[in-house]
Amino acid sequence: LSDEHLLSVLSQLQLSLKKLQETNDELSKEIESTTDAGDLKLFEETIEENKVVIENQQKRLTTLESELKIRGFPRELEQGMYL
């Protein structure tokens, strides 16, 4: 895979992780205010599923960062500049 492709995937993963965390934060707020047992269960299950996805994506992100460092991108990765 080209460097550009890896950087693109890295950027996509970062955005996905951000969105998943934002979703979990919103669902946590909803859990505090909901009185519906069905909604509560759905929100809790969704948060747990998202946590699994977050963990898997963080592993992929770490692997991609390692590969990019091997390819000579350590300065950009340390500064958080991917594109």
Side-chain angles (χ1 to χ4, degrees):
L1 296 173
S2 70
D3 294 344
E4 292 80 18
H5 182 76
L6 291 180
L7 290 169
S8 175
V9 172
L10 188 73
S11 179
Q12 291 170 13
L13 278 171
Q14 291 171 324
L15 180 60
S16 176
L17 285 165
K18 180 181 176 186
K19 295 292 184 181
L20 284 164
Q21 190 56 56
E22 288 172 357
T23 299
N24 279 2
D25 292 345
E26 288 298 318
L27 289 171
S28 293
K29 290 177 187 175
E30 289 296 321
I31 286 172
E32 294 174 9
S33 64
T34 191
T35 56
D36 184 275
D39 286 347
L40 181 63
K41 182 177 180 181
L42 176 64
F43 297 158
E44 289 172 342
E45 288 174 353
T46 302
I47 288 172
E48 290 307 311
E49 290 171 6
N50 285 352
K51 286 180 180 180
V52 172
V53 173
I54 288 170
E55 182 179 333
N56 290 334
Q57 288 189 358
Q58 285 176 328
K59 289 176 185 177
R60 288 181 63 202
L61 187 66
T62 300
T63 301
L64 280 171
E65 288 173 338
S66 296
E67 176 60 26
L68 286 166
K69 286 180 182 182
I70 289 169
R71 293 182 183 201
F73 285 87
R75 190 172 326 153
E76 291 85 355
L77 293 175
E78 290 170 5
Q79 295 173 0
M81 297 170 51
Y82 300 107
L83 296 176

